[in-house]
Amino acid sequence: MIISLSIKNIVLIDDLYVEFGDGLSVFSGETGAGKSIILDSIALALGARGDSNLVRKDCNQGSVIIVLEYDSILIDDLSLSDYDISDSENIILRRIQYSDGKTKSFLNDMPISLSVMKKIGQSLVEIHGQHDERALLNASTHMKIIDAFGGHGSILKDIAVLVEAIKKKSNEIKVKEDRFTKIEQERKFLKDSYDEIVKLNSYKGEDEFLSNKRKIISKSEKIKETMTMVSDFISGDSGAEEKLSQALGAIHKITDIDEKSILGIYNNLFKIQEDLSDTIKDTVDLIDSMSFDQDEQELLEERLFAIRAAGRKFQVIPDHLPNLAEKYNNDLSLLDSSREEIGLLKKDLDALFVKYKDIAKGLSIRRKESSRDFDLLIMQSLKGLKLESSIFKTSLVLRNDLDVPNYNGFDHLEFILSANPDSNAGPLRSIASGGELSRVMLSIKSVVSKKFGAKTLIFDEIDTGISGSVASAVGEKLESLSDHFQVFTVTHSPQVASKGNHHFLIRKTYSNNLEKNRTSVEFLRLTRKDRIEEISRMMSGSKVTSEARAAAERLMEGE
């Protein structure tokens, strides 16, 4: 329940504070008096989208504070215990709107996110705007209403989870099938390419090895000539080998004179002789290896050409050919494994569809039962709103595309109305007048709210397009609703206004001074005498007559 409302520097309001009570509170005033400003301010404090235009001209910021009755269930449901709100406190929502468009939100002076503020607002207060009955013309709204009335939320969540799972699984299958199709189309290429690379039997580093060998062959004569000369220097007559042997023979004769130092030199020379012998052998082997025949050279050139040609053909460097062969082989193996994997995925998808269809079928049954109960309650409510001869029915049919998973299950649902006994029933969008739509909407709000919903209901001109006894019936319905809820209504109807437990007048005031003219909005609680005067004005216009006052008194007394 809304306990109080404080508005500062919002549009035409300077500083306003008002307290509210139980029952039905009526807001009235001339067209353009500022009633929408009050509702916009309430909506802002409940989490509606901010707007820099809400800030009063020449002000940097405006604010709205709404005090709500403590609700322990709400605190638990929305996990608001972190905000340390004791059961002795009220819930205080404060929203600051800055002129640059930014806003700040507070719960009992603690900063909160806008999403938390919205959840609190939607849980405690429900605002029915002037255009909500237009939304009633959209069949998708009807589905939401029946699901809310029937309490189908948990089933819809289960269906949503399955629909998402089906979409994900279907996409996974599509990706794998596309990949499978691509590989299948390339099967011959993959097989031929794999066989060709395997037959080539190249290895990593072979291209470099062959290139170096070709370089050696091309320089083999020079290498042979040079190494022969080196061999002569080492092992020829008077070469290093012979002179080293002579040196060893000479030093060996004196090793007994100074064994320690001379023997060390002798050993070093002996080691050099051994290393030199190895070098001579390596030199001879290298000279011998420099003999290449023409066939060997041609084979090397052919092998090098084949490896490099394969690299160009498959657009990789020669060293990567073995890896490419492995990849092609894996792709070929993938064809068989993918076929099996796709089959398993399709089985999983079929299982999800079976589960989805089972739950969707159960939801359809629940909706039929809920629709039947809902229709009876709406019919009863419409009788009290001067639509005694009307027929209201919920049309529930299966969608055409049942094989396509849908978040709403199998059903297409739409409200059907026949407002008069001699007229055919049809969809609300093509049958109902503005006044009839308002009464259907009021009946729906009444039925759904009584089952569950916010504790405070706000109606913005629910009585648009009606008058006389129909307006009286709407007033009585609002009065009846106020036995269970705190109800606010903005009205131009004297019949509706007369039913209020509290009546507030909204009007503009103008100040004329030498500095500037200023327009403001006042929000006045009316006494009984003031109410009679206001209801008289609503009945007769700007000129209030004694007859209008008498009629206003009779309305207020319920005559």
Side-chain angles (χ1 to χ4, degrees):
M1 184 181 91
I2 299 177
I3 296 173
S4 65
L5 175 68
S6 176
I7 306 173
K8 188 172 183 178
N9 295 328
I10 296 293
V11 193
L12 298 177
I13 297 176
D14 291 311
D15 195 352
L16 181 152
Y17 175 80
V18 61
E19 294 181 352
F20 299 111
D22 296 333
L24 175 61
S25 294
V26 174
F27 300 164
S28 69
E30 297 279 3
T31 299
K35 298 184 289 297
S36 62
I37 300 174
I38 302 296
L39 296 188
D40 288 345
S41 298
I42 293 174
L44 183 68
L46 296 175
R49 184 175 181 178
D51 189 331
S52 60
N53 292 324
L54 290 172
V55 181
R56 188 173 178 94
K57 186 179 179 182
D58 300 328
C59 295
N60 294 323
Q61 67 180 54
S63 65
V64 182
I65 301 173
I66 190 166
V67 180
L68 299 152
E69 192 174 53
Y70 178 85
D71 188 317
S72 59
I73 297 176
L74 173 77
I75 300 298
D76 292 338
D77 288 348
L78 297 185
S79 301
L80 299 178
S81 54
D82 292 343
Y83 294 95
D84 195 26
I85 304 171
S86 68
D87 55 11
S88 62
E89 287 185 286
N90 293 317
I91 295 173
I92 304 172
L93 296 176
R94 175 163 60 99
R95 186 90 176 274
I96 300 175
Q97 173 69 63
Y98 295 97
S99 57
D100 63 0
K102 296 179 181 178
T103 67
K104 287 184 179 178
S105 306
F106 300 87
L107 168 60
N108 290 40
D109 284 332
M110 290 178 283
I112 57 172
S113 66
L114 182 59
S115 62
V116 171
M117 177 172 271
K118 277 184 179 179
K119 288 179 181 178
I120 296 172
Q122 291 171 354
S123 298
L124 294 179
V125 182
E126 183 177 344
I127 301 177
H128 168 62
Q130 292 184 34
H131 305 293
D132 280 9
E133 64 268 12
R134 295 295 109 187
L136 195 58
L137 299 180
N138 189 336
S140 64
T141 303
H142 306 173
M143 181 82 77
K144 294 175 183 177
I145 291 170
I146 291 297
D147 286 333
F149 175 79
H152 305 150
S154 61
I155 301 177
L156 287 167
K157 285 181 181 178
D158 291 342
I159 286 180
V161 170
L162 285 169
V163 169
E164 287 298 322
I166 288 171
K167 286 183 176 180
K168 184 177 179 181
K169 189 69 68 175
S170 298
N171 185 61
E172 186 179 356
I173 291 171
K174 183 180 184 304
V175 169
K176 290 188 178 297
E177 284 184 332
D178 288 346
R179 174 69 175 152
F180 178 85
T181 301
K182 183 179 179 182
I183 296 175
E184 182 65 41
Q185 290 171 347
E186 297 175 352
R187 177 189 281 274
K188 187 176 186 307
F189 166 78
L190 292 171
K191 183 69 171 63
D192 292 347
S193 299
Y194 172 74
D195 290 344
E196 181 178 340
I197 296 173
V198 168
K199 184 178 180 181
L200 183 64
N201 194 28
S202 66
Y203 59 87
K204 187 175 182 180
E206 185 178 7
D207 178 73
E208 183 180 3
F209 172 78
L210 294 175
S211 296
N212 289 335
K213 190 170 183 179
R214 184 173 65 172
K215 184 178 180 181
I216 289 171
I217 290 174
S218 66
K219 303 291 184 181
S220 62
E221 289 302 320
K222 183 174 180 60
I223 293 172
K224 190 174 182 180
E225 179 184 338
T226 301
M227 294 312 297
T228 299
M229 184 173 60
V230 169
S231 179
D232 288 342
F233 287 149
I234 296 173
S235 58
D237 294 339
S238 300
E241 183 181 27
E242 181 180 337
K243 291 183 179 300
L244 184 61
S245 179
Q246 292 172 355
L248 280 168
I251 201 169
H252 184 267
K253 294 176 182 179
I254 60 172
T255 53
D256 59 338
I257 299 175
D258 185 1
E259 184 175 343
K260 183 177 180 181
S261 57
I262 294 175
L263 187 59
I265 294 172
Y266 177 81
N267 290 335
N268 288 338
L269 287 173
F270 188 79
K271 185 177 185 304
I272 292 171
Q273 186 184 44
E274 287 181 338
D275 291 341
L276 186 61
S277 295
D278 292 339
T279 302
I280 291 170
K281 182 178 181 304
D282 292 341
T283 303
V284 172
D285 290 344
L286 179 60
I287 292 170
D288 291 343
S289 69
M290 289 297 106
S291 298
F292 301 101
D293 58 33
Q294 188 68 25
D295 291 341
E296 186 177 358
Q297 292 185 45
E298 289 178 359
L299 287 173
L300 184 146
E301 291 293 342
E302 289 174 4
R303 179 64 176 173
L304 192 59
F305 178 82
I307 291 172
R308 291 181 174 178
R312 289 191 297 272
K313 178 178 180 180
F314 297 111
Q315 298 182 343
V316 295
I317 61 175
D319 277 358
H320 289 176
L321 286 170
N323 293 336
L324 185 63
E326 184 179 359
K327 178 183 179 302
Y328 287 160
N329 189 46
N330 290 338
D331 285 347
L332 288 166
S333 300
L334 187 64
L335 279 171
D336 295 329
S337 62
S338 291
R339 185 181 286 107
E340 182 179 349
E341 187 178 2
I342 290 170
L344 292 174
L345 288 173
K346 286 185 175 180
K347 285 184 179 179
D348 292 342
L349 182 62
D350 290 341
L352 287 172
F353 260 111
V354 169
K355 194 172 182 180
Y356 160 76
K357 290 179 179 180
D358 184 54
I359 295 177
K361 183 178 179 181
L363 177 59
S364 295
I365 294 171
R366 288 279 300 273
R367 279 175 174 156
K368 287 179 182 177
E369 296 170 351
S370 299
S371 296
R372 186 165 53 247
D373 296 339
F374 182 78
D375 292 351
L376 289 173
L377 292 172
I378 294 296
M379 289 284 287
Q380 291 173 8
S381 179
L382 289 176
K383 286 179 181 178
L385 291 172
K386 301 298 181 182
L387 285 171
E388 301 90 343
S389 301
S390 64
I391 297 174
F392 180 92
K393 184 179 179 182
T394 301
S395 170
L396 190 66
V397 297
L398 294 178
R399 292 185 297 105
N400 293 326
D401 52 346
L402 294 183
D403 289 332
V404 178
N406 189 287
Y407 291 101
N408 287 321
F410 288 159
D411 308 312
H412 173 77
L413 188 150
E414 188 167 12
F415 295 151
I416 303 297
L417 179 70
S418 171
N420 303 295
D422 56 348
S423 62
N424 295 325
L428 292 182
R429 54 187 158 80
S430 58
I431 295 294
S433 65
E436 289 163 351
L437 271 180
S438 296
R439 282 177 281 174
V440 171
M441 175 58 79
L442 181 56
S443 294
I444 290 173
K445 291 289 183 182
S446 174
V447 168
V448 174
S449 297
K450 283 180 180 178
K451 189 162 184 177
F452 54 85
K455 294 183 177 180
T456 297
L457 305 176
I458 300 176
F459 295 96
D460 185 9
E461 298 187 11
I462 190 71
D463 49 22
T464 298
I466 59 174
S467 60
S469 62
V470 174
S472 295
V474 169
E476 290 169 3
K477 175 61 71 174
L478 292 171
E479 185 180 27
S480 174
L481 268 178
S482 70
D483 291 338
H484 307 281
F485 306 95
Q486 182 188 38
V487 180
F488 296 89
T489 184
V490 175
T491 183
H492 288 287
S493 167
Q495 291 89 346
V496 173
S498 68
K499 303 298 181 183
N501 302 106
H502 318 281
H503 193 151
F504 298 89
L505 174 64
I506 301 170
R507 69 183 182 186
K508 285 181 180 176
T509 61
Y510 305 91
S511 61
N512 297 309
N513 55 52
L514 295 176
E515 295 181 3
K516 60 180 179 180
N517 297 327
R518 191 171 180 84
T519 303
S520 299
V521 169
E522 288 185 332
F523 193 76
L524 305 173
R525 183 189 296 272
L526 300 184
T527 63
R528 178 177 173 80
K529 181 179 178 181
D530 294 333
R531 287 188 68 190
I532 292 172
E533 198 67 18
E534 172 63 6
I535 293 173
S536 301
R537 180 199 63 76
M538 296 170 75
M539 296 175 70
S540 61
S542 58
K543 186 177 181 180
V544 178
T545 64
S546 57
E547 290 83 359
R549 291 189 180 93
E553 285 196 70
R554 288 195 298 273
L555 276 177
M556 289 182 62
E557 291 169 0
E559 296 180 9

